[in-house]
Amino acid sequence: MGSVEKETKVFDSEAASSMVKELRGEFLSGKTRSYEWRVTQLKNILKMSEDREQDIVKALHSDLTKPELESSIYEISMLKNACTLAIKKLKQWMKPEKVKTSLTSFPSSAEIVSEPLGVVLVISPWNYPFLLSIDPVVGAIAAGNAVVLKPSEVAPATSSLLAKLVGEYLDNTLIRVVEGAVAETSALLEQKWDKICYTGNGRVGRIVMAAAAKHLTPVLLELGGKCPAVVDSIINLKVAARRIVAGKWGCNSGQTCVAVDYILTTKDVALKLVDALKHELEGFYGKNQLESKDLSRIVNLNHFDRLTKLLDEDKVSGKIVHGGERDKANLKIAPTILLDVPQDSLIMNEEIFGPLLPIFTVEKVESSFDVINSGTKPLAAYLFTDNKKLKEQFVMAVSAGGLVINDTVIHLAVDTLPFGGVQESGMGAYHGKFSFDAFSHKKGVLYRSFAGDAPVRYPPYTKGKLAFMKALMSGSILGVICALIGLSKN
Amino acid sequence: METYRDLERDLEDMREYYRYGKTKEASWRKSQLKGLLTLLKEKEGDIFKALNQDLGKHHVEAFRDEIGTLTKTVNTALESLKDWMSSKTAKLPRIALLTSAEIVPEPLGHVLIISSWNFPFGLSLEPMIGALAAGNTVVLKPSELAPACASLLANAISTYLDNKSVKVIQGGSSVGEQLLQHRWDKIFFTGSAHVGRIVMSAAVKHLTPVTLELGGKCPAVLDSLSSSWDMKVELLKNTIKEMFGENPKESHSIARIINKQHLLRLKNLLEDPHVDASIVYGGSVDEDNLFIEPTILVDPPLQAAIMTDEVFGPLLPIITLEKIEDSIQFINSRPKSLAIYCFTKNKTLQRMMISETSSGSVIFNDTIIQYAADTLPFGGVGESGFGRYHGKFSFDTFSHEKAIVRRSFLTDFWFRFPPWNNYKLQLLESAFNYDYLGLVLVILGLKRHRQGSDGI
């Protein structure tokens, strides 16, 4: 545990380079290899999350006006679970995995050994600034790496708190926080890392990957996309509506990478769905939803303006069937539903990341799969249906990071499932053991005996050797025997 | 040579074909794998000829390293395909009533494979087997430095595989650059770190995931093994003579250098007078026949190019150390390589080698053979690349593991939903901690309420 260093100098390329050098030196000393070091750090992260919960909730409220429950459960509890799992399973994860060997390398034994990649960089976003910073860090530490975390400057209270907490609770010789914006991030990206984990948007994701390419650094990119929810005509529209509300406005006012971005449904269901959604919204947030304390605000003026622009577009402004109220001073936009937006509107073409829910109607529900597939692959896709066949069609036809049937967002809480995107929504995955694996190199180790050296492998090459090798490769013991005693057809 | 627009049109046709879903079918994947098996069997003679023409490779070596291993790989893929394609159930906590979770592998879509000249069939088809087993369409760009092999691949693949979804595009670096401009769902590259950087940089545009199989200076650490080091050098010399005869150039069992450029590169490594002075065996270069004899050097200067650049040729420098454990520091002060070989019976040294160095793989008491081990991931780390393949790892490398959760409408936790209050917070906390007893206690009103920050 070290003291907090006040960074008064500008964090430039030189500072970044010397920091990486220092961390690499510490890493090479072998300290992170031990189970004890890793488990101690993880336990300290757990302690930090428990002891300082109120500070974290306060910071999240300052940055996002995030309701306490969302902070406690969706950020802190989720993070604590990740820690607890890692602490429980670390010994098992760290053990080499024995694998079978075949006739071609007989006699031999083999195993896959997990080793840390080295010094890794984690760049986190502003929407879940605590969880999405520390969750990857948990994986990196469990795998035995040194870590630098660069939290988002768009959530400054949390960024500053993270710097303080990491300074107080964790081993600063190997785990650091660098605060800052574009300049500091660029300085960090110039360095050679052994892995970079970035959560955010596709534009910056490309910048990160391009910087990584210079050093052949592998990357984990958790990006976004337009996550659709397809709603079939179902018996339990009320429950579906409730789960959609929870997976949209209940998640940071829609500012979540896996929030329901838009709805696809048929005309007859659309009207019923709008009513059901309105009813649930009122149940959750009361009649005056703009002022509800249970909703996050929009993070900053930039995003507020971006969202109001989506609402004010001519093609779309007349399609509002619920909400639309805004309070610029408090950066609030009420839960808003739009019906029958045109496919070429802005709101249907960029990731909304806010409390606006457009409903796009199709002729028959199966056509919604084509609509989804005509866009880029999203991080998640949702389907509400009672129809078994439709469920299977959905799973086969729709490609996304993850799919949920009859609910939204909850797959993030399942740590036995990999969480990651595909194509525009990202590459790589984490959560649970996948986090450990994401920050590990899986080294193949083969042990050969000196006995049993087959001269057939070696020159000078002859027909007989060829026959023997063919038999060996085919795994046929009989073939091998025949070849040995010269009975092969060749 | 195709123009950008022609190529884009061909690639769009392939993407269109993929969208029909044909390549996702198990029957299609099997038919392509069987097609490859037939190709390897029926074209064996032609493949041997092409490898001999391009590389001077003896056909038994070609079988051992290319056709044989490929046949084994296709057979493994055919046997395991059903299992690889099946979805895997993901365990859920008990609290997740009437919910199921699974991971379903799906093809990434449209794959580009760029292979190297040294194992032109192996390094082209080994990844292709994985890509096809995983249900993708494939474009292969084989190396132009092995032209007979590239041409044979183009012909054979169009004969034995589905033309609408598997194509070979021949050409040099300009064709490679052109291909890299188009949109891919995965790029698999085998080659040098320099070109690896170019490939990854090009992949940025479409956020295409890449696997880079690069190289490095793979060391072989030789422990005493009850003989002194000069005896070892003698042993090496004798073994070379056994395998390749007194005049290796006459032996047909040893491959040539691929081309003049590489021959001159290798010749140059030996030009430095200090390096030249360290040659203890071989050293002769026949430019006209693209032949360099097996050459051993002892303790060339460490700053010479032969000790800083990947040799990739028949020159073997031997570095002697005070004690064998020093090899660990020696290895660690250099970029991570694709493999470390270590000949020792000393279990402590073995453990140290694994835990104190980092490389793609580690092999004890043999070399190269890890390439044929399907259960071990084959790939690099650091400068030697990232990503892996072989066996199921090939299938995985060309797949997206899609997470699926199915919920029932019947069960729900009412405390999931706003309006928020402290009671719900308590319940949620217990739920998240899988603290079933805690949940019950809260519901029964027997657990003390925690204080919220705003006292609600």
Side-chain angles (χ1 to χ4, degrees), chain B residues 141-197:
Chain B
K141 189 203 113 26
S143 171
E144 73 283 14
L145 296 189
C149 294
S151 164
L152 177 57
L153 273 165
N155 271 325
I157 283 176
S158 66
T159 310
Y160 290 86
L161 301 185
D162 178 358
N163 279 328
K164 294 204 199 68
S165 46
V166 189
K167 274 194 175 33
V168 177
I169 295 182
Q170 297 185 71
S173 55
S174 60
V175 168
E177 272 163 30
Q178 245 200 72
L179 283 168
L180 287 172
Q181 294 312 307
H182 296 266
R183 188 175 72 69
W184 303 96
D185 296 301
K186 174 94 184 194
I187 299 175
F188 187 100
F189 170 77
T190 307
S192 70
H194 167 70
V195 180
R197 284 177 172 84

XYZ file of all heavy atoms in Angstrom, chain B residues 141-197:
429
model
N -4.799 -16.160 -49.542
C -3.758 -15.581 -50.380
C -2.449 -16.270 -50.019
O -1.800 -15.922 -49.034
C -3.626 -14.070 -50.195
C -2.663 -13.534 -51.300
C -2.011 -12.277 -50.976
C -0.522 -12.278 -50.773
N 0.314 -13.287 -51.400
N -2.032 -17.265 -50.856
C -0.777 -17.954 -50.563
C 0.407 -17.076 -50.971
O 0.238 -16.120 -51.710
C -0.861 -19.206 -51.447
C -1.841 -18.893 -52.515
C -2.667 -17.732 -52.094
N 1.587 -17.423 -50.480
C 2.758 -16.606 -50.766
C 3.216 -16.759 -52.217
O 3.301 -17.867 -52.737
C 3.902 -16.991 -49.829
O 5.085 -16.348 -50.231
N 3.536 -15.641 -52.826
C 4.005 -15.656 -54.216
C 5.440 -16.187 -54.295
O 5.924 -16.504 -55.378
C 3.924 -14.242 -54.823
C 4.965 -13.258 -54.330
C 4.688 -12.686 -52.946
O 3.825 -13.239 -52.219
O 5.333 -11.687 -52.583
N 6.119 -16.297 -53.136
C 7.489 -16.788 -53.176
C 7.548 -18.293 -53.418
O 8.619 -18.838 -53.687
C 8.230 -16.433 -51.870
C 8.411 -14.936 -51.597
C 9.336 -14.723 -50.408
C 8.995 -14.216 -52.808
N 6.400 -18.964 -53.290
C 6.327 -20.393 -53.602
C 5.283 -20.529 -54.712
O 4.156 -20.987 -54.470
C 5.944 -21.202 -52.378
N 5.624 -20.116 -55.940
C 4.626 -19.980 -57.008
C 3.988 -21.286 -57.478
O 2.794 -21.324 -57.768
C 5.401 -19.322 -58.162
C 6.830 -19.550 -57.860
C 6.967 -19.703 -56.400
N 4.783 -22.368 -57.540
C 4.200 -23.640 -57.989
C 3.140 -24.096 -56.995
O 2.070 -24.573 -57.363
C 5.286 -24.691 -58.154
N 3.441 -23.934 -55.725
C 2.486 -24.320 -54.684
C 1.247 -23.437 -54.729
O 0.122 -23.930 -54.621
C 3.132 -24.222 -53.305
S 4.472 -25.405 -53.076
N 1.434 -22.124 -54.902
C 0.304 -21.198 -54.943
C -0.625 -21.559 -56.096
O -1.847 -21.618 -55.948
C 0.795 -19.763 -55.097
N -0.015 -21.841 -57.237
C -0.804 -22.160 -58.418
C -1.550 -23.484 -58.239
O -2.722 -23.614 -58.595
C 0.153 -22.188 -59.613
O -0.424 -22.822 -60.686
N -0.872 -24.469 -57.654
C -1.524 -25.758 -57.410
C -2.681 -25.594 -56.429
O -3.757 -26.162 -56.611
C -0.509 -26.778 -56.880
C -1.063 -28.151 -56.505
C -1.773 -28.796 -57.700
C 0.053 -29.086 -56.027
N -2.467 -24.786 -55.392
C -3.536 -24.537 -54.412
C -4.744 -23.928 -55.111
O -5.881 -24.352 -54.891
C -3.044 -23.584 -53.319
C -2.347 -24.222 -52.129
C -1.605 -23.177 -51.316
C -3.339 -24.962 -51.251
N -4.497 -22.938 -55.954
C -5.604 -22.267 -56.641
C -6.394 -23.271 -57.476
O -7.623 -23.321 -57.414
C -5.069 -21.134 -57.516
N -5.680 -24.083 -58.235
C -6.348 -25.083 -59.082
C -7.096 -26.119 -58.275
O -8.260 -26.394 -58.529
C -5.296 -25.823 -59.928
C -5.068 -25.093 -61.218
O -5.992 -24.520 -61.783
N -3.831 -25.077 -61.678
N -6.392 -26.702 -57.335
C -6.967 -27.801 -56.565
C -8.179 -27.344 -55.769
O -9.207 -28.012 -55.740
C -5.915 -28.398 -55.646
N -8.083 -26.186 -55.119
C -9.195 -25.728 -54.303
C -10.420 -25.435 -55.157
O -11.547 -25.764 -54.776
C -8.764 -24.536 -53.424
C -7.937 -25.098 -52.267
C -9.963 -23.757 -52.908
C -7.345 -24.078 -51.354
N -10.216 -24.890 -56.347
C -11.391 -24.627 -57.185
C -11.995 -25.936 -57.679
O -13.181 -25.990 -57.993
C -11.044 -23.707 -58.347
O -10.158 -24.358 -59.216
N -11.195 -27.001 -57.738
C -11.724 -28.296 -58.167
C -12.429 -29.034 -57.036
O -13.492 -29.620 -57.232
C -10.583 -29.204 -58.679
O -9.806 -28.483 -59.621
C -11.125 -30.482 -59.306
N -11.825 -29.025 -55.855
C -12.334 -29.883 -54.792
C -13.282 -29.212 -53.806
O -13.972 -29.893 -53.059
C -11.166 -30.496 -54.017
C -10.393 -31.525 -54.808
C -9.357 -31.150 -55.669
C -10.690 -32.880 -54.702
C -8.667 -32.089 -56.407
C -9.986 -33.830 -55.425
C -8.976 -33.431 -56.283
O -8.283 -34.374 -57.003
N -13.277 -27.884 -53.758
C -14.119 -27.205 -52.770
C -15.190 -26.333 -53.424
O -15.193 -26.157 -54.639
C -13.247 -26.359 -51.830
C -12.187 -27.112 -51.041
C -11.472 -26.191 -50.075
C -12.793 -28.271 -50.267
N -16.078 -25.794 -52.606
C -17.204 -24.988 -53.090
C -16.718 -23.611 -53.549
O -16.374 -22.752 -52.747
C -18.210 -24.844 -51.936
C -19.411 -23.989 -52.298
O -19.463 -23.462 -53.432
O -20.297 -23.848 -51.433
N -16.722 -23.421 -54.858
C -16.213 -22.169 -55.430
C -16.895 -20.910 -54.949
O -16.316 -19.835 -54.998
C -16.388 -22.197 -56.948
C -15.287 -22.966 -57.577
O -14.181 -22.965 -57.056
N -15.569 -23.639 -58.668
N -18.141 -21.057 -54.538
C -18.873 -19.850 -54.164
C -18.409 -19.341 -52.806
O -18.669 -18.187 -52.451
C -20.382 -20.143 -54.114
C -20.998 -20.480 -55.444
C -22.496 -20.179 -55.409
C -23.254 -20.901 -56.504
N -23.292 -22.380 -56.302
N -17.760 -20.198 -52.061
C -17.405 -19.757 -50.719
C -15.947 -19.941 -50.352
O -15.532 -19.524 -49.278
C -18.270 -20.479 -49.695
O -18.291 -21.838 -50.022
N -15.154 -20.571 -51.209
C -13.724 -20.695 -50.929
C -12.964 -20.285 -52.179
O -13.172 -20.852 -53.241
C -13.319 -22.148 -50.577
C -11.885 -22.188 -50.083
C -14.244 -22.737 -49.525
N -12.119 -19.281 -52.036
C -11.366 -18.797 -53.195
C -9.890 -18.661 -52.854
O -9.537 -18.360 -51.717
C -11.875 -17.401 -53.594
C -13.052 -17.413 -54.525
C -13.240 -16.016 -55.108
C -14.326 -15.896 -56.151
N -15.493 -16.712 -56.056
N -9.064 -18.850 -53.887
C -7.640 -18.581 -53.719
C -7.312 -17.396 -54.609
O -7.663 -17.398 -55.786
C -6.787 -19.793 -54.133
C -5.300 -19.463 -54.008
C -7.134 -20.991 -53.270
N -6.678 -16.380 -54.047
C -6.282 -15.236 -54.865
C -4.767 -15.142 -54.815
O -4.171 -14.972 -53.751
C -6.947 -13.945 -54.362
C -8.462 -14.079 -54.563
C -6.421 -12.725 -55.114
C -9.280 -12.887 -54.179
N -4.148 -15.307 -55.971
C -2.690 -15.327 -56.032
C -2.144 -13.929 -56.242
O -2.804 -13.063 -56.811
C -2.234 -16.213 -57.199
C -2.636 -17.668 -57.041
C -2.048 -18.500 -58.151
O -0.847 -18.731 -58.177
N -2.883 -18.925 -59.078
N -0.903 -13.755 -55.826
C -0.245 -12.471 -56.074
C 0.718 -12.125 -54.978
O 0.893 -12.857 -54.011
N 1.355 -10.977 -55.154
C 2.375 -10.539 -54.206
C 1.852 -9.541 -53.200
O 0.660 -9.539 -52.869
N 2.733 -8.670 -52.736
C 2.341 -7.762 -51.664
C 1.275 -6.762 -52.112
O 0.436 -6.356 -51.313
C 3.563 -7.029 -51.107
O 4.241 -6.383 -52.157
N 1.274 -6.393 -53.400
C 0.256 -5.423 -53.823
C -1.132 -6.053 -53.790
O -2.114 -5.400 -53.437
C 0.566 -4.871 -55.218
O 0.581 -5.928 -56.143
N -1.215 -7.329 -54.144
C -2.513 -8.023 -54.043
C -2.898 -8.147 -52.578
O -4.055 -7.955 -52.201
C -2.423 -9.421 -54.708
C -3.636 -10.254 -54.373
C -2.285 -9.266 -56.210
N -1.907 -8.457 -51.752
C -2.158 -8.544 -50.317
C -2.708 -7.237 -49.781
O -3.700 -7.211 -49.045
N -2.081 -6.130 -50.169
C -2.522 -4.811 -49.706
C -3.940 -4.529 -50.162
O -4.759 -4.001 -49.421
C -1.603 -3.718 -50.261
C -0.411 -3.451 -49.374
C 0.701 -2.694 -50.106
O 0.371 -1.913 -51.024
O 1.863 -2.899 -49.747
N -4.220 -4.908 -51.423
C -5.570 -4.701 -51.952
C -6.591 -5.475 -51.134
O -7.633 -4.951 -50.752
C -5.609 -5.245 -53.379
C -5.848 -4.209 -54.431
C -6.358 -4.879 -55.704
O -7.479 -5.344 -55.767
N -5.487 -4.934 -56.704
N -6.285 -6.733 -50.876
C -7.206 -7.566 -50.108
C -7.465 -6.959 -48.740
O -8.581 -6.981 -48.233
C -6.650 -8.985 -49.956
C -6.782 -9.882 -51.188
C -5.941 -11.135 -51.026
C -8.234 -10.261 -51.446
N -6.429 -6.397 -48.137
C -6.565 -5.846 -46.790
C -7.478 -4.625 -46.740
O -7.941 -4.236 -45.679
C -5.186 -5.484 -46.223
C -4.308 -6.663 -45.819
C -2.904 -6.192 -45.469
C -4.904 -7.421 -44.641
N -7.755 -4.005 -47.889
C -8.629 -2.831 -47.899
C -10.099 -3.204 -47.745
O -10.917 -2.371 -47.401
C -8.484 -2.064 -49.237
C -7.130 -1.449 -49.447
C -6.657 -0.689 -48.248
O -7.356 0.182 -47.726
N -5.476 -1.035 -47.755
N -10.427 -4.465 -48.036
C -11.830 -4.864 -48.012
C -12.243 -5.262 -46.607
O -11.423 -5.388 -45.723
C -12.034 -6.025 -48.990
C -11.776 -5.616 -50.408
N -12.766 -5.205 -51.249
C -10.623 -5.531 -51.109
C -12.238 -4.892 -52.425
N -10.934 -5.079 -52.364
N -13.562 -5.471 -46.437
C -14.054 -5.772 -45.104
C -14.011 -7.274 -44.858
O -14.515 -8.056 -45.649
C -15.490 -5.264 -44.936
C -15.987 -5.384 -43.513
C -17.369 -4.775 -43.328
N -18.429 -5.568 -43.941
C -18.833 -6.762 -43.526
N -18.295 -7.315 -42.478
N -19.796 -7.389 -44.152
N -13.389 -7.680 -43.745
C -13.317 -9.092 -43.346
C -13.860 -9.243 -41.946
O -13.876 -8.283 -41.182
C -11.865 -9.591 -43.377
C -11.231 -9.410 -44.714
C -10.432 -8.369 -45.102
C -11.376 -10.242 -45.863
N -10.066 -8.515 -46.415
C -10.635 -9.655 -46.911
C -12.077 -11.432 -46.114
C -10.559 -10.220 -48.182
C -11.999 -11.997 -47.378
C -11.251 -11.388 -48.395
N -14.300 -10.447 -41.618
C -14.726 -10.694 -40.250
C -13.595 -11.297 -39.421
O -13.677 -11.344 -38.200
C -15.955 -11.616 -40.237
C -17.137 -10.939 -40.909
O -17.537 -9.857 -40.433
O -17.636 -11.454 -41.923
N -12.550 -11.751 -40.114
C -11.363 -12.247 -39.406
C -10.227 -12.314 -40.404
O -10.436 -12.678 -41.565
C -11.622 -13.637 -38.833
C -10.395 -14.294 -38.197
C -10.323 -14.046 -36.739
C -9.047 -14.620 -36.131
N -9.094 -14.674 -34.672
N -9.024 -11.962 -39.951
C -7.835 -12.122 -40.794
C -6.845 -12.995 -40.034
O -6.559 -12.756 -38.859
C -7.165 -10.758 -41.111
C -8.148 -9.860 -41.863
C -5.908 -10.971 -41.952
C -7.628 -8.456 -42.114
N -6.358 -14.029 -40.714
C -5.395 -14.954 -40.110
C -4.108 -14.816 -40.889
O -4.051 -15.146 -42.066
C -5.942 -16.379 -40.193
C -5.115 -17.369 -39.447
C -5.492 -17.791 -38.184
C -3.960 -17.894 -40.003
C -4.732 -18.715 -37.473
C -3.177 -18.809 -39.308
C -3.572 -19.231 -38.035
N -3.063 -14.353 -40.236
C -1.821 -14.065 -40.934
C -0.653 -14.859 -40.358
O -0.440 -14.871 -39.136
C -1.510 -12.566 -40.840
C -0.135 -12.219 -41.334
C 0.132 -12.165 -42.693
C 0.900 -11.975 -40.436
C 1.410 -11.873 -43.159
C 2.184 -11.672 -40.893
C 2.434 -11.626 -42.256
N 0.117 -15.500 -41.232
C 1.366 -16.154 -40.818
C 2.491 -15.494 -41.570
O 2.471 -15.436 -42.805
C 1.351 -17.655 -41.179
O 0.177 -18.255 -40.666
C 2.568 -18.346 -40.585
N 3.483 -14.992 -40.852
C 4.595 -14.339 -41.538
C 5.449 -13.548 -40.580
O 5.590 -13.913 -39.404
N 6.003 -12.454 -41.071
C 6.946 -11.673 -40.268
C 6.228 -10.619 -39.433
O 5.107 -10.212 -39.745
C 7.945 -10.975 -41.189
O 7.270 -9.947 -41.899
N 6.924 -10.167 -38.375
C 6.359 -9.142 -37.502
C 6.125 -7.840 -38.272
O 5.136 -7.140 -38.054
C 7.298 -8.887 -36.325
N 7.015 -7.552 -39.193
C 6.901 -6.317 -39.980
C 5.586 -6.297 -40.759
O 4.819 -5.333 -40.694
C 8.112 -6.213 -40.919
C 7.958 -5.188 -41.976
N 7.966 -3.827 -41.695
C 7.762 -5.279 -43.313
C 7.794 -3.149 -42.817
N 7.667 -4.005 -43.810
N 5.305 -7.385 -41.453
C 4.050 -7.431 -42.219
C 2.869 -7.608 -41.270
O 1.769 -7.110 -41.526
C 4.086 -8.557 -43.286
C 2.785 -8.609 -44.068
C 5.255 -8.337 -44.234
N 3.093 -8.287 -40.146
C 2.048 -8.442 -39.136
C 1.500 -7.090 -38.697
O 0.291 -6.913 -38.535
N 2.387 -6.119 -38.522
C 1.956 -4.775 -38.122
C 1.094 -4.154 -39.209
O 0.089 -3.499 -38.929
C 3.162 -3.874 -37.861
C 3.849 -4.136 -36.545
C 5.088 -3.255 -36.368
N 5.610 -3.393 -35.021
C 6.426 -4.362 -34.617
N 6.812 -5.289 -35.472
N 6.836 -4.431 -33.366
